[in-house]
Amino acid sequence: MITSRLKIAALAGAAALMTSTAMAQDPELTVFDWAGYEDPEFYTAYTEAHGAPPTFAFFGDEEEAFQKLRSGFKADAAHPCSQSVPKWMEAGLLEPLDTSRIDRWDDLNEEFREIEAYKKDGEYYFVPMDWGNTALTYNTDKLTEEQVSSLQIFADPSMMGKVSIGDSVDDAYALGFLATGVQDWTTATDEDFQNASDFLRKVHQNVLSYWDSSSSLAQLMQSGQVELAWAWNETSATMSGEGHPIAMKRDTEEGASSWVCGYVKLKDGEGSDDKFYDFINAWLEPKTADYIVNAWGYGHSNATQMAEMDQEMLKSVGLDSNESLRENTLWQAPPGSEMREKMIAEFENIKAGF
């Protein structure tokens, strides 16, 4: 089972990360990424080939990354999620991919690879890599299955000071829309948006902290300060694997959210093209797919390798198929530029208490 291997995998990853941290970083490839994805187990073939890991720079959310890149920050690769890619393309931040240099391009999950929003003039701009859920995650010693049967618990006054949701506009509004009866935000009306925003304002009254990394959320939940979170697969997978009473509930009355993230090639990057494709190819190796499933609890876009895994195990953690992933879920597809800008502005107001 996945949880029986998590602690060993996490310890091994931590040891490898300390070794990587001590190693000089490769100046010829800069990767702009989420904190945690510098984990060397994701790109072992790259380090073996070049003697050092890439240089990493980090962002807290994709809007921060977008603004920093538009202000002139230089990197070669970045790791946005599905809903942000069209905006980055429209802003001229990305270069098209040479898919002939991506060894396992044909092994990629077609439903992720062939999304039209990530193509232009017949060229691809996005390599899907990791996918999963954002869902209700809770302390099973503090809350019962009945209490967490609905997302409405996030706004329940009894949860004041016991809640954490991600400092991410997309995940936050996924919660807001789901809780108010919308599972497709691409068709949301102004009234739907207002209802979702009103719900998030109620949730804000209960929020102890807006988490900015899975590690910071894990600390809050391990201490007992946070009993209820809107979180990614990694939190419940890792914490339950370490023996903590933390579980993810995807089957609330309103459902959960699902997403896919991946890598893009940044325009005017000053590093090595060869090393960019070496990094992508290392990420797509079967051993990387095995690692992200077993150590992080996320799915991988290498559909060929995912098909060779224990399907019952994948089903038990919600990673068995795209169809299952999208059942009773809000898929974080690009919501349209006008809606996304409204979400960004309103989320900042909500966090500020307005």
Side-chain angles (χ1 to χ4, degrees), residues 49-71:
H50 300 293
T55 296
F56 281 90
F58 303 107
F59 55 83
D61 64 35
E62 290 150 280
E63 184 61 19
E64 174 195 333
F66 177 77
Q67 296 300 337
K68 190 170 182 178
L69 289 168
R70 290 195 70 183
S71 298

Side-chain angles (χ1 to χ4, degrees), residues 103-120:
D103 298 340
R104 292 182 171 81
W105 183 256
D106 291 339
D107 291 333
L108 291 176
N109 185 309
E110 288 188 27
E111 288 195 40
F112 297 148
R113 187 188 67 201
E114 299 300 328
I115 293 174
E116 288 300 320
Y118 313 143
K119 297 188 240 180
K120 184 179 179 181

Side-chain angles (χ1 to χ4, degrees), residues 136 138 140 143-150 247-249 251:
L136 186 154
Y138 70 108
T140 58
L143 298 169
T144 66
E145 184 83 6
E146 182 178 359
Q147 285 177 293
V148 298
S149 62
S150 169
M248 174 179 271
K249 186 170 176 60
D251 60 345

Side-chain angles (χ1 to χ4, degrees), residues 268-288:
D268 301 325
E270 298 172 349
S272 163
D273 280 359
D274 290 342
K275 289 185 176 180
F276 169 83
Y277 287 104
D278 286 349
F279 179 73
I280 297 299
N281 288 325
W283 246 97
L284 291 176
E285 288 198 346
K287 62 182 177 181
T288 304

Side-chain angles (χ1 to χ4, degrees), residues 251-273:
D251 60 345
T252 62
E253 293 173 11
E254 302 88 350
S257 181
S258 60
W259 46 264
V260 60
C261 304
Y263 284 98
V264 293
K265 191 173 191 298
L266 294 171
K267 188 176 182 180
D268 301 325
E270 298 172 349
S272 163
D273 280 359

